[in-house]
Amino acid sequence: MPVYNADAIVLHRILLGETDKIVTLLTREKGKLNAVAKGARRAGSRLSGATELFTHSQMQLAVGKSLDIISQCQVASSFPTLRGDLELLARATYLCELTDRMIEEREPNPEVFDLLLSALYLLQRAQERPDLIVHAYELRLLAERGYMPQLEACVRCGGALQRRQSAFSPSLGGVLCSGCRFSAQDAIALHAETITFLHALASADPETLLALAPSPAAAAETARCLRWYVRYRADRDLKSAEFLDSLRVQASRQHNVSRG
Amino acid sequence: MSGIPTMLHYAKPLARLVAELEKLPGIGPKSAQRMAFYLLRIPREEAMQLAHAIAEVKEKIGFCRECFNFTDQELCDICRDTRRDRSLLCVVSEPRDLMAMERTNEFRGVYHVLQGVISPQDGIGPDVLRIRELQARLYENEIQEVILATNPTIEGDATAFYLARLLKPLGLKVTRIAHGLPAGGDLDYADQATLVSALQWRREM
């Protein structure tokens, strides 16, 4: 049975039989693939830690008939900070589901692998504003897939964007100027600050990204635009996004109670 | 797969049995056929015992009104036991986790079975679990400590954190069972998360 080594992040896993798991891995070498982790649910299994969600490991896999089989692994990082906080854990889970949804199987794409890995590391440092990392990752993953939204000029007429009264259309894939903002049914109103913020999310280096401090209005508009744009590009709502929404609602309620 | 070409060769009742057995978890077409032939070969009484056991479990087993463990009465054996310490409540995700805790003979409190875990990627949120019932129990009863005994998986962690966030404002002591290296495990193969928690929850010797 031929074997190969891969640098892998666990995107999804389902239980198989009594003690096994089938894991969806994003590997740097072979792209996304499914593999069997035999006995990984036994308490003392050497594979149990490495096959948990968003864990990064060096793995050895054996080529199987239908699915490859994980034979050895060494955990590089299991991101204990992300696992120790419900807000971060929910966001890391979402990043994995989004990647799983947007990437085709067996299409090597080391850029996406590095993007996800750095997003997970940065998320550990973004306890104050974890959505900065989530939105930056959404934009950059979409850009990798060729779906970077048009933010420079009006997506419909190509005209310059005014300081006020712009909108974002998920179906047209970009920003609409004040003259075109009623031309799409799914247009979401945007402030100029939000467009600047979206630009920063798409291109800022890690330290600048972590230091971004958008106004609550720009943060809310960005979340709304990207939620609908990701949904449009992924063809459906992501399950972990719904859970994340419920956490955000809970957090804003608590914020309002503490302010009131 | 229901294996239609194979089933055409069997008599209808046998084909139906194979198809039903195939629906069981972890049972493929070959195992289903083997089990069906086994059931054909054994004495009628033995086969009927199995059929009756299945019918009886579907008729008589329901959830305990208090803890949502499986029981054939209104309250399960543990909830009816007056010697149990009702100030200690252990929250588990499945009835089989309750049985695992009971096998330790260490825990003398009562339980609450959530009937699942929060699993964001599978779309299982807190609303489908028995969390509202847990909150109701905490308001009414004399519980002082809630022990969260969910698995050390992403879903188990998410459930424990969610519950801790929900229950702590009630002024209760909320704890989670320790996790670290398993008995017979190998330090060299332990992942970071396991070692970090083993270090955090170390104890003096």
Side-chain angles (χ1 to χ4, degrees):
Chain A
M1 208 184 266
V3 295
Y4 60 93
N5 294 329
D7 211 6
I9 302 170
V10 180
L11 297 182
H12 186 68
R13 72 231 189 292
I14 50 173
L15 307 182
L16 175 71
E18 286 290 308
T19 58
D20 306 341
K21 291 181 196 173
I22 295 179
V23 290
T24 305
L25 303 171
L26 180 68
T27 67
R28 190 194 294 273
E29 295 78 3
K30 291 181 184 283
K32 188 176 89 169
L33 57 92
N34 290 317
V36 179
K38 289 192 172 170
R41 281 154 62 209
R42 285 202 192 100
S45 167
R46 289 166 176 182
L47 298 179
S48 64
T51 49
E52 272 302 294
L53 213 56
F54 56 78
T55 300
H56 170 217
S57 311
Q58 270 81 47
M59 290 187 176
Q60 187 185 68
L61 295 107
V63 178
K65 265 188 202 164
S66 55
L67 293 172
D68 295 351
I69 298 157
I70 302 171
S71 50
Q72 286 179 34
C73 57
Q74 172 136 19
V75 175
S77 180
S78 50
F79 299 101
T81 313
L82 302 183
R83 291 192 61 167
D85 181 307
L86 182 60
E87 297 289 335
L88 299 181
L89 185 152
R91 281 161 179 86
T93 305
Y94 168 71
L95 297 188
C96 290
E97 191 186 352
L98 176 64
T99 314
D100 190 12
R101 183 71 191 151
M102 297 300 291
I103 300 292
E104 296 300 319
E105 274 187 44
R106 305 265 175 184
E107 269 182 19
N109 192 333
E111 289 79 18
V112 171
F113 180 91
D114 292 339
L115 195 61
L116 178 61
L117 193 58
S118 56
L120 291 172
Y121 276 106
L122 284 173
L123 198 55
Q124 296 198 103
R125 295 172 55 201
Q127 274 145 322
E128 286 289 309
R129 280 189 287 270
D131 284 332
L132 286 175
I133 307 303
V134 172
H135 296 324
Y137 182 75
E138 286 171 329
L139 275 171
R140 292 170 199 215
L141 179 68
L142 287 165
E144 275 294 335
R145 303 306 295 161
Y147 299 136
M148 180 65 197
Q150 166 68 270
L151 303 171
E152 309 291 337
C154 174
V155 69
R156 195 171 182 89
C157 70
L161 300 170
Q162 290 79 10
R163 290 284 305 154
R164 286 165 179 272
Q165 297 178 325
S166 305
F168 182 87
S169 163
S171 59
L172 295 175
V175 180
L176 294 162
C177 67
S178 58
C180 297
R181 73 195 154 107
F182 296 115
S183 60
Q185 280 194 334
D186 61 351
I188 301 162
L190 281 193
H191 286 87
E193 186 206 343
T194 308
I195 301 173
T196 314
F197 180 51
L198 283 166
H199 273 293
L201 286 172
S203 56
D205 61 77
E207 296 308 318
T208 317
L209 185 63
L210 287 168
L212 290 175
S215 69
E221 281 180 6
T222 301
R224 205 176 315 133
C225 287
L226 287 173
R227 179 81 157 85
W228 287 102
Y229 190 49
V230 165
R231 188 179 180 163
Y232 181 78
R233 287 297 177 197
D235 282 338
R236 63 173 160 84
D237 221 358
L238 300 181
K239 287 173 179 166
S240 48
E242 288 169 23
F243 180 65
L244 202 46
D245 282 348
S246 71
L247 286 185
R248 284 174 182 144
V249 169
Q250 228 178 46
S252 74
R253 256 190 229 142
Q254 275 169 358
H255 181 68
N256 291 340
V257 167
S258 62
R259 279 175 70 196
Chain B
M1 293 289 119
S2 55
I4 291 164
T6 322
M7 281 165 54
L8 289 175
H9 298 288
Y10 291 136
K12 268 188 183 162
L14 182 55
R16 220 180 82 199
L17 178 61
V18 172
E20 290 302 322
L21 289 169
E22 260 190 68
K23 293 178 188 168
L24 297 176
I27 303 297
K30 285 284 174 199
S31 309
Q33 284 175 45
R34 209 163 41 237
M35 287 163 80
F37 283 122
Y38 170 78
L39 290 170
L40 267 181
R41 270 197 306 272
I42 60 173
R44 183 186 154 77
E45 302 77 58
E46 244 180 84
M48 290 314 287
Q49 272 174 22
L50 175 65
H52 284 314
I54 295 173
E56 194 180 10
V57 90
K58 294 305 288 181
E59 264 168 38
K60 293 189 179 167
I61 299 292
F63 292 126
C64 168
R65 182 166 53 83
E66 192 83 13
C67 73
F68 296 93
N69 185 17
F70 287 128
T71 179
D72 58 350
Q73 298 183 39
E74 203 177 342
L75 285 176
C76 70
D77 290 347
I78 296 169
C79 289
R80 270 186 286 126
D81 189 343
T82 50
R83 292 163 302 171
R84 289 274 175 168
D85 179 357
R86 277 161 209 285
S87 66
L88 267 180
L89 180 87
C90 178
V91 179
V92 293
S93 50
E94 301 286 349
R96 58 174 190 268
D97 297 334
L98 183 155
M99 295 310 289
M101 293 293 285
E102 279 298 287
R103 278 197 296 272
T104 63
N105 285 324
E106 280 288 318
F107 183 69
R108 298 306 302 158
V110 290
Y111 293 93
H112 188 87
V113 185
L114 294 171
Q115 298 291 344
V117 277
I118 294 174
S119 179
Q121 280 201 346
D122 300 313
I124 302 172
D127 296 345
V128 297
L129 308 180
R130 301 281 185 179
I131 292 179
R132 251 176 254 121
E133 291 86 345
L134 171 64
Q135 282 176 294
R137 276 181 86 177
L138 298 176
Y139 280 120
E140 287 165 16
N141 295 319
E142 68 264 42
I143 292 152
Q144 284 168 11
E145 180 178 349
V146 178
I147 303 168
L148 303 173
T150 53
N151 286 336
T153 57
I154 295 293
E155 292 79 7
D157 288 350
T159 310
F161 291 130
Y162 183 87
L163 288 176
R165 187 192 270 190
L166 202 69
L167 305 183
K168 277 192 141 181
L170 304 179
L172 293 161
K173 184 176 175 188
V174 181
T175 55
R176 186 169 182 204
I177 54 166
H179 58 268
L181 295 167
D186 197 328
L187 201 75
D188 185 33
Y189 281 94
D191 62 291
Q192 262 172 323
T194 307
L195 277 178
V196 166
S197 63
L199 271 172
Q200 270 173 354
W201 293 342
R202 70 190 185 275
R203 60 189 167 161
E204 202 173 330
M205 293 186 73

